């Protein structure tokens, strides 16, 4: 092949003349009608895209030098055309498609970075929405539900406190329901009925008036009433059933009489200081045994727990020994009579003696003999010189006698035999 301008030989396949640089004319029929690829003369199908080449010779197309044609995308062209006109049939000729310029390559990591930023932004928005929702819910609870719950708790607390017996507690609601709140109580006076203690109490209601304007009656059963001295020692305690004898208030106060047996109180009635004593009423308490009968208008109660009674009796014995020391000192130089000597767990008179039994006997003897005192034998020579290893609670009549003979006469006149009454001094 020769150059059409200068006639120099041109190697087959060259597009420009090596001698003058003129474009080499292409033989007709060598340009693919689909992708524009240059083909060898005589070829029926394009080596680039496989399209069938036209049989008729095509005029030579000079290759422009200023604007080179970008590489064609044969597969994309075939697929786009097939999508528009149906599947390609063997031998079909597709019209040329406009070639799109290639997309600019992204920088390394740019696409991943954008994706991560977008994901982080979405996550941040979701978290922000959740925080706002939680804050709004807390605000609703704080301003609405919390106030409602607080008011409910306060109402319940007020209802529970209505059962207290201290002064100043809230009154029960004004209705016709029975009064269940224990009243406040003060010890007005004490006396005895035989050997039992009779305590006069002034009660102040802790319940509001009924709709008719009357103060509701107090008629709870199983109410423990305890009396304490100014040192906090329990000196009387029993469980009373006020349903048998309801308390009727005159305005807000009422006077009641309660009777305690010798196993329910632990202080001689005339040694109880009413002005400093404290009275405590507790509802919902259980007693043991049956309540005895009481004299007059007094209400009798049942015993408290035996262990509590034993503890109170032991403390009462210790208190009594200290209280009676001065009265016992005068018998160093004169005579008196001994009525009993007992100790805890001692077996005598057909039973085992405990603290509550010893103090009960002392109370009974003191009713019979108003000067009776209690001593501890280990503190006095007349007992220790005979047997210093054993000590007893000793009950003395407290009455002075001039001689042993006078003492024997005293014992006989009071109905005691030789085994139950002896003349002693403490020296």
């Amino acid at each position: 092949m020769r150059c059409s301008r200068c006639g120099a030989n041109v190697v087959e396949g060259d597009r420009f003349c090596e001698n003058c640089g003129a474009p080499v004319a292409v033989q007709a029929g060598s340009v693919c009608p689909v992708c524009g690829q240059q083909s060898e003369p005589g070829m029926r199908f394009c080596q680039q895209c496989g399209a069938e080449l036209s049989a008729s010779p095509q005029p030579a197309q000079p290759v422009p030098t200023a604007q080179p044609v970008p590489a064609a995308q044969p597969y994309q062209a075939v697929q786009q055309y097939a999508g528009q006109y149906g599947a390609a049939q063997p031998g079909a000729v597709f019209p040329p498609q406009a070639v799109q310029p290639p997309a600019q390559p992204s920088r390394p990591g740019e696409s991943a970075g954008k994706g991560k930023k977008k994901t982080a932004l979405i996550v941040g928005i979701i978290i922000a929405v959740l925080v706002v929702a939680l804050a709004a819910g807390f605000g609703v609870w704080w301003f609405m539900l919390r106030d409602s719950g607080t008011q409910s708790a306060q109402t319940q607390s007020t209802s529970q406190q209505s059962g207290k017996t201290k002064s100043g507690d809230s009154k029960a609601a004004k209705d016709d329901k029975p009064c269940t709140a224990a009243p406040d109580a003060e010890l007005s006076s004490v006396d005895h009925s035989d050997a039992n203690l009779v305590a006069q109490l002034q009660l102040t209601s802790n319940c509001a008036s009924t709709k008719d304007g009357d103060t509701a009656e107090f008629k709870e059963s199983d109410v423990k009433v305890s009396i304490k001295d100014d040192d906090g020692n329990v000196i009387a305690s029993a469980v009373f059933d006020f349903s048998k004898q309801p308390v009727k208030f005159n305005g807000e106060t009422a006077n009641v009489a309660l009777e305690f047996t010798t196993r329910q109180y632990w202080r001689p009635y005339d040694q109880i200081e009413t002005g400093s004593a404290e009275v405590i009423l507790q509802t919902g308490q259980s007693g043991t045994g049956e309540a005895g009968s009481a004299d007059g208008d007094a209400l009798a109660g049942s015993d408290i727990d035996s262990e509590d009674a034993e503890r109170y009796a032991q403390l009462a014995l210790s208190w009594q020994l200290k209280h009676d020391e001065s009265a016992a000192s005068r018998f160093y130089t004169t005579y008196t009579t001994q009525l009993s000597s007992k100790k805890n767990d001692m077996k005598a008179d057909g039973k085992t003696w405990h603290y509550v039994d010893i103090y009960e006997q002392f109370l009974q003897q003191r009713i019979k003999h108003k000067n009776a005192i209690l001593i501890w034998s280990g503190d006095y020579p007349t007992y220790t010189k005979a047997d210093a290893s054993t000590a007893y609670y000793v009950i003395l009549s407290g009455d002075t006698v001039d001689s042993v003979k006078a003492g024997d006469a005293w014992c006989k006149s009071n109905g005691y035999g030789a085994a139950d009454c002896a003349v002693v001094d403490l020296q």
Side-chain angles (χ1 to χ4, degrees), residues 88-157:
Q89 299 295 327
V93 179
F94 302 99
Q97 301 291 319
V99 179
Q100 300 294 329
Q104 295 294 328
S106 60
R107 296 176 183 177
E110 181 178 2
S111 176
K114 289 182 179 179
K116 291 181 179 179
K117 290 180 180 180
K118 186 175 180 181
T119 302
L121 179 60
I122 294 173
V123 172
I125 292 174
I126 294 174
I127 293 175
V129 170
L130 291 176
V131 170
V132 171
L134 290 174
F138 180 78
V140 171
W141 173 83
W142 181 265
F143 290 106
M144 297 180 63
L145 300 181
R146 178 180 178 273
D147 291 341
S148 175
T150 302
Q151 292 175 358
S152 176
Q154 292 175 347
T155 301
Q156 182 178 2
S157 176

Side-chain angles (χ1 to χ4, degrees), residues 178-185 201-207 214-221 223 225 240-258 281 297 299:
C179 178
T180 60
D184 294 337
L201 304 181
Q202 183 182 65
L203 304 182
T204 302
S205 176
N206 276 317
C207 295
D214 299 327
T215 302
E217 294 181 348
F218 180 73
K219 48 186 178 181
E220 289 294 294
S221 59
V223 179
V225 180
F240 297 88
D241 184 359
F242 287 97
S243 66
K244 296 180 179 179
Q245 193 170 314
V247 178
K248 298 180 180 181
F249 294 93
N250 182 11
E252 292 187 350
T253 62
N255 295 316
V256 297
L258 302 181
L281 277 70
D297 296 332
L299 179 65

Side-chain angles (χ1 to χ4, degrees), residues 121-394:
L121 179 60
I122 294 173
V123 172
I125 292 174
I126 294 174
I127 293 175
V129 170
L130 291 176
V131 170
V132 171
L134 290 174
F138 180 78
V140 171
W141 173 83
W142 181 265
F143 290 106
M144 297 180 63
L145 300 181
R146 178 180 178 273
D147 291 341
S148 175
T150 302
Q151 292 175 358
S152 176
Q154 292 175 347
T155 301
Q156 182 178 2
S157 176
T158 301
S159 174
Q160 292 175 349
Q161 290 180 357
S162 65
K164 295 183 178 180
T165 63
K166 298 297 182 181
S167 299
D169 290 341
S170 299
K171 299 291 185 180
K174 181 178 288 187
D175 52 28
D176 290 335
K177 294 181 180 179
C179 178
T180 60
D184 294 337
E186 294 182 0
L187 181 61
S188 301
S189 63
V190 290
D191 203 342
H192 71 96
S193 175
D194 293 330
N196 291 345
L197 172 71
V198 179
Q200 296 286 342
L201 304 181
Q202 183 182 65
L203 304 182
T204 302
S205 176
N206 276 317
C207 295
S209 301
T210 63
K211 295 178 181 179
D212 296 332
D214 299 327
T215 302
E217 294 181 348
F218 180 73
K219 48 186 178 181
E220 289 294 294
S221 59
D222 297 335
V223 179
K224 182 162 74 172
V225 180
S226 301
I227 303 175
K228 294 184 178 181
D229 65 7
D230 54 357
D231 292 327
N233 296 316
V234 177
I235 57 178
S237 187
V239 179
F240 297 88
D241 184 359
F242 287 97
S243 66
K244 296 180 179 179
Q245 193 170 314
V247 178
K248 298 180 180 181
F249 294 93
N250 182 11
E252 292 187 350
T253 62
N255 295 316
V256 297
L258 302 181
E259 187 168 316
F260 298 84
T261 69
T262 51
R263 300 182 72 86
Q264 298 172 349
Y265 77 102
W266 305 276
R267 183 73 52 87
Y269 77 94
D270 56 349
Q271 293 176 1
I272 296 175
E273 297 181 3
T274 58
S276 59
E278 179 185 8
V279 182
I280 301 174
L281 277 70
Q282 297 172 282
T283 59
Q285 305 297 309
S286 299
T288 60
E290 296 293 331
S293 59
D295 291 339
D297 296 332
L299 179 65
S302 58
D303 294 342
I304 62 171
D305 180 77
S306 59
E307 292 185 1
D308 290 339
E310 187 73 0
R311 183 172 69 255
Y312 299 152
Q314 184 180 11
L315 292 173
L317 288 167
S318 298
W319 184 92
Q320 200 69 49
L321 292 174
K322 185 176 181 180
H323 178 271
D324 293 345
E325 281 180 355
S326 60
S329 63
R330 72 177 184 269
F331 296 113
Y332 280 106
T333 58
T334 189
Y335 293 102
T336 189
T337 51
Q338 173 182 309
L339 305 178
S340 176
S341 61
K342 299 290 190 300
K343 66 177 181 177
N344 190 48
D345 290 333
M346 176 180 177
K347 290 180 173 57
D349 302 331
K351 69 176 184 179
T352 301
W353 288 72
H354 299 293
Y355 294 118
V356 69
D357 301 309
I358 298 171
Y359 201 84
E360 180 183 21
Q361 186 184 39
F362 170 73
L363 291 174
Q364 292 169 342
Q365 291 290 2
R366 201 172 183 285
I367 292 297
K368 294 174 63 176
H369 309 289
K370 64 179 181 179
N371 294 323
I373 61 175
L374 187 72
I375 65 171
W376 182 246
S377 65
D379 295 335
Y380 299 95
T382 192
Y383 299 102
T384 57
K385 63 185 178 183
D387 184 2
S389 63
T390 305
Y392 300 86
Y393 293 102
V394 177

